[in-house]
């Protein structure tokens, strides 16, 4: 019986492609998250609620919304689903119990997420990803058709609920309406108070941070349908060998161009409608539908183009840097909080509410450069990122070998 040496090489190539795409997604997420770190949270969705929106600041906002908002988070969610299948398959091949390991990993990740949200930054995604990962795991062995159909039903349900909720806004009690407006379009007094709180010490931020974290985690339970659906899409794409060699460059490029054109058309149309309507409360629910669906099309386009990029023999040094960022995704995600928290919060430099959008873009680029080179330095000496190593060690109940010998 002959041994197939090609299969491990194909698998390694596919894993490298996934690491590169994950690295790009991780870096891209910061383009939007920087706003939640540095200015009133309402500005993340309603750009008119805080800060200057003229000149270069408008173009930075528009570029970020058009090409980053929800696009890289969508890719990250899809790749989380890929990771679930990869790890389960690997453990099964070794004769282990993937369910036991998976749920232990997700419980630990949820713990990391709770600590992250309540001790450092309310905008944590680790906790909802852990919950979604527990749900998505149950369908990992389903066929591609089932995964894709169920995924879009789940994503569509979340969209439908948001759309229907917009019809309830005119029927709301005055107190509920004021509460909603405080989140979407806060008064100057509310903004001043928010700046004061975030420029306070770590302990001084505690009550505000806990309140925001609890609100975010309550809201994300509703958004869970989208996250689970995206993870299912990731599982389906992996089974189709989307990240491998199944689809030709020509086919990927054609589908990427079509998806990008449709996605951009949706996002641009929706954004224009929100500006035309003055970013009223309708924009909070029904107004985000265009980007909700457009971001999925654009994320698919990005991934298709990146698979083609990964196959090419050009920019190999850059690919290596990006792959190392992807291998340390958990560490790099948490370091976003540590770096941005130090820059913007009162326990650091306290620049919260003082940066223009153009200034924030410079911060993002600086963090990108740092993470690209630090990740490669670290991975040249160690097997895992610091938090990846901790996660793995707790999962298996013993310290894992870290240093490369």
């Amino acid at each position: 019986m002959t041994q197939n040496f090609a299969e491990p090489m194909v698998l390694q190539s596919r894993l490298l492609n996934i690491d590169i795409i994950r690295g790009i997604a991780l870096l891209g997420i910061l383009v939007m998250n920087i706003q939640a770190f540095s200015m009133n949270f309402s500005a993340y969705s309603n750009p008119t609620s805080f800060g200057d929106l003229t000149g270069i600041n408008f173009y930075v906002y528009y570029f970020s919304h058009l090409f980053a908002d929800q696009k890289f988070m969508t890719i990250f969610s899809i790749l989380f689903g890929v990771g679930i299948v990869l790890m389960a398959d690997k453990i099964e091949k070794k004769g282990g119990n993937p369910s036991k390991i998976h749920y232990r990993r997700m419980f630990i990740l949820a713990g990391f997420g709770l600590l992250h949200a309540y001790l450092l930054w309310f905008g944590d995604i680790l906790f909802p990803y852990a919950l979604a990962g527990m749900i998505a795991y149950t369908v990992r062995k389903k066929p591609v058709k089932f995964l894709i159909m169920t995924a879009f039903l789940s994503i569509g349900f979340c969209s439908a609920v948001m759309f229907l909720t917009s019809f309830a806004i005119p029927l709301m009690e005055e107190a509920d309406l004021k509460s909603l407006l405080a989140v979407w379009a806060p008064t100057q007094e509310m903004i001043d108070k928010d700046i004061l709180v975030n420029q306070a010490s770590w302990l001084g931020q505690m009550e505000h941070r806990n309140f925001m974290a609890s609100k975010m985690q309550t809201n994300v339970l509703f958004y869970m349908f989208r996250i689970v659906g995206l993870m299912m899409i990731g599982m389906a794409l992996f089974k189709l060998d989307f990240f491998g060699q199944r689809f030709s460059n020509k086919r990927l490029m054609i589908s990427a161009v079509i998806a990008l054109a449709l996605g951009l058309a949706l996002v641009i149309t929706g954004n224009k409608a929100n500006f035309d309507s003055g970013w009223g409360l309708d924009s909070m629910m029904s107004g985000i539908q265009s980007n909700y669906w457009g971001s999925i099309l654009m994320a698919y386009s990005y991934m298709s183009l990146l698979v083609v990029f990964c196959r090419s023999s050009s920019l190999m040094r850059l690919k290596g840097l990006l792959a190392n960022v992807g291998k340390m995704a958990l560490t790099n995600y948490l370091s976003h909080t540590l770096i941005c928290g130090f820059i913007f919060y009162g326990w650091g430099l306290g620049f919260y509410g003082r940066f223009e959008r153009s200034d924030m873009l410079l911060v993002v680029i600086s963090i990108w450069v740092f993470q690209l080179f630090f990740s490669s330095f670290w991975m040249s000496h160690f097997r895992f990122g610091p938090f990846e190593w901790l996660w793995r060690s707790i999962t298996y109940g013993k310290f894992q070998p870290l240093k490369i010998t």
Side-chain angles (χ1 to χ4, degrees), residues 301-340:
S301 175
Y302 290 178
M303 289 190 298
S304 298
L305 295 172
L306 287 171
V307 169
V308 175
F309 167 68
C310 290
R311 291 173 179 173
S312 72
S313 58
S314 60
L315 300 174
M316 297 303 293
R317 172 62 174 158
L318 176 60
K319 290 176 188 175
L321 295 173
L322 291 167
N324 285 322
V325 172
K327 291 173 183 175
M328 291 177 55
L330 176 60
T331 294
N332 283 319
Y333 170 72
L334 291 173
S335 71
H336 286 173
T337 296
L338 295 174
I339 296 170
C340 292

Side-chain angles (χ1 to χ4, degrees), residues 34 338-345 347-352 355 363 367:
I34 191 77
L338 295 174
I339 296 170
C340 292
F342 176 75
I343 294 171
F344 297 111
Y345 293 152
W347 51 265
L349 300 177
F351 285 120
Y352 185 89
F355 278 27
V363 174
I367 294 173

